[in-house]
Amino acid sequence: MAYPNLVAEMTRRSITAKDIAGAIGRSPDTVNNWLRGKGDFPIGKAFKVQEAFFPTYTLAYLFSSEPITPDFME
């Protein structure tokens, strides 16, 4: 996974690639490709994902290529 923190948060909240695709105007296949590392999330789309689904998390956390444990889980 290219964005392990984003995928983990999606799983915790039962958010699918289809949900994200609908919010950012892309296909679920495109979103799945980005999640798998086949291309990068465009920054504008990343902001939309963060604002729509994860407003309390930073872009740095959500779109990090390395797994990070959020402060509240330590």
Side-chain angles (χ1 to χ4, degrees), residues 2-3 30 33-35 37-43 45-46 63:
Y3 305 102
T30 297
N33 283 338
W34 291 340
L35 293 172
K38 296 178 183 176
D40 294 319
F41 263 89
I43 190 69
K45 301 298 185 189
F63 292 92

Side-chain angles (χ1 to χ4, degrees), residues 4 9 19 23-24 31 33 37 47 50 52 54:
E9 297 303 333
D19 297 328
I24 64 172
V31 172
N33 283 338
F47 273 108
Q50 186 259 346
F54 309 104

Side-chain angles (χ1 to χ4, degrees), residues 2 4 10 12-14 19-20 22-24 27 31 37 39 41 44 50 52 58 60 62 64-65 67 70-72 74:
M10 288 170 63
R12 283 186 189 101
R13 291 171 174 74
S14 300
D19 297 328
I20 288 178
I24 64 172
S27 73
V31 172
F41 263 89
Q50 186 259 346
T58 65
L62 290 171
S64 173
S65 60
D71 292 339
F72 69 87
E74 294 180 320

